[in-house]
Amino acid sequence: MTGTSPVLVERKPDPLRAAAWAVGLAIAGLAIWVAGGQRVGLSADIRNYELLYQIAAVSDWPSLWRGDDPGFYSLAKLFANANASFETFTIWIAALTLALKADVVRRLDTNSLVLIVLYGCYLFWLHEYTQIRLALAMAFVLEGVYGRSPFRLIFFVPAARALYSLTKG
């Protein structure tokens, strides 16, 4: 091989793109803060999730894996073992679900802005704000279906099991 090195091309900063990223990150941060901290009043299900969090905290690991939603309970157990508050747990759940869903939307060959606006108007309030277990399962299913990693089944299989357990009568 010859001693040629790659040529670096200097790009000019794009202020419009930088502003769009800044606005997007601000909106994402606000959404995480609102959903995770229940800042617009308590959702109908939040007390039930807090009870599930407390149950996970005192349960042993094998019993968590025999239940209907081992992923959610295991995540709750990890946070509880780290002495994290329930609000810290819900903020992290909101951040994780929104990040996974944003990653999927970014990769879709469609107008992302329209999907984000529609999601923010309805599904955000239903999933991230009210039904956090469903939001988490849906985020993992979407990542499992649309993810690029060859290990995406690691996301899909447990999440599909959780969705089934959440939807059965």
Side-chain angles (χ1 to χ4, degrees):
M1 290 193 70
T2 63
T4 50
S5 61
V7 177
L8 297 176
V9 178
E10 192 173 320
R11 293 185 185 169
K12 287 184 177 180
D14 182 2
L16 185 58
R17 184 177 174 103
W21 271 98
V23 168
L25 289 174
I27 290 171
L30 180 63
I32 291 165
W33 181 74
V34 166
Q38 297 288 301
R39 306 289 185 210
V40 188
L42 294 178
S43 75
D45 296 339
I46 198 66
R47 294 294 170 229
N48 293 332
Y49 289 123
E50 191 167 10
L51 179 62
L52 294 176
Y53 182 79
Q54 293 167 356
I55 289 170
V58 297
S59 298
D60 61 341
W61 285 101
S63 67
L64 295 177
W65 282 91
R66 285 191 297 268
D68 282 338
D69 196 353
F72 179 82
Y73 285 116
S74 296
L75 196 56
K77 178 83 171 169
L78 288 172
F79 273 81
N81 284 350
N83 293 321
S85 68
F86 176 69
E87 183 176 351
T88 301
F89 173 67
T90 57
I91 287 171
W92 276 99
I93 292 285
L96 178 62
T97 59
L98 289 172
L100 288 173
K101 290 174 183 178
D103 183 52
V104 168
V105 167
R106 182 183 57 81
R107 281 191 254 128
L108 294 176
D109 188 26
T110 186
N111 189 337
S112 298
L113 182 61
V114 171
L115 288 176
I116 291 168
V117 168
L118 289 173
Y119 189 84
C121 289
Y122 178 68
L123 288 176
F124 168 79
W125 298 103
L126 179 63
H127 287 175
E128 271 69 27
Y129 201 79
T130 304
Q131 302 170 342
I132 61 175
R133 286 191 317 164
L134 182 61
L136 187 61
M138 285 298 300
F140 280 118
V141 165
L142 288 170
E143 190 64 33
V145 171
Y146 294 104
R148 293 183 186 174
S149 168
F151 303 107
R152 65 181 189 233
L153 283 179
I154 293 171
F155 288 107
F156 183 76
V157 173
R161 180 179 183 260
L163 280 177
Y164 172 74
S165 73
L166 289 171
T167 58
K168 69 180 181 181

